[in-house]
Amino acid sequence: SARVMKKAVAYLVPFMEKEKEEALKKKMEEGIEITENDRFHGTVVLATVKGDVHDIGKNIVGVVLGCNNFRVIDLGVMTPSQKIIETAKKEKADIIGLSGLITPSLDEMIHVAK
């Protein structure tokens, strides 16, 4: 199911990007100044924590956020805490979303949150 989800998202992404660009173009044609806030509602860093490879939930959240005009930075699976934090600081993330399915992942999520 994860592979199907990824293929479905890959198919939809060009349509979503086109819709965003058309909205921005319309604003420009109307003489409205475009700012970074117009492009995105915020920046979200998503990652499956170190020790876990289960990412379907993270991928679904990423798609939903992307469809709702958030900038999504997906760091993938088995992501070390330091990389998550460095990326969030560098990209000035508004939100960090952590994913994991197995029980030891909860300890890693707590570590990242602290």
Side-chain angles (χ1 to χ4, degrees):
S1 63
R3 283 188 289 267
V4 171
M5 175 67 182
K6 287 180 183 182
K7 285 183 180 184
V9 170
Y11 178 80
L12 293 172
V13 166
F15 296 103
M16 294 184 299
E17 292 299 323
K18 183 179 178 188
E19 186 176 296
K20 283 184 203 175
E21 290 303 317
E22 287 172 356
L24 289 174
K25 184 178 177 183
K26 183 178 178 183
K27 278 188 170 187
M28 289 172 50
E29 288 171 354
E30 293 172 356
I32 300 171
E33 183 179 344
I34 305 298
T35 66
E36 189 64 25
N37 291 336
D38 291 316
R39 295 190 176 278
F40 302 106
H41 292 305
T43 298
V44 181
V45 171
L46 296 178
T48 300
V49 295
K50 181 178 74 177
D52 206 324
V53 297
H54 300 93
D55 67 347
I56 190 162
K58 173 184 63 70
N59 293 341
I60 292 169
V61 169
V63 170
V64 171
L65 289 170
C67 289
N68 284 282
N69 209 28
F70 281 84
R71 179 174 168 239
V72 178
I73 301 166
D74 187 342
L75 299 179
V77 299
M78 298 285 292
T79 309
S81 60
Q82 191 62 32
K83 182 175 181 181
I84 296 167
I85 293 168
E86 287 173 0
T87 303
K89 287 179 179 178
K90 177 183 169 205
E91 300 295 335
K92 297 183 171 90
D94 299 294
I95 301 169
I96 298 173
L98 302 175
S99 171
L101 180 65
I102 58 176
T103 304
S105 300
L106 298 174
D107 291 333
E108 186 64 18
M109 288 182 197
I110 292 167
H111 170 71
V112 173
K114 288 180 178 181

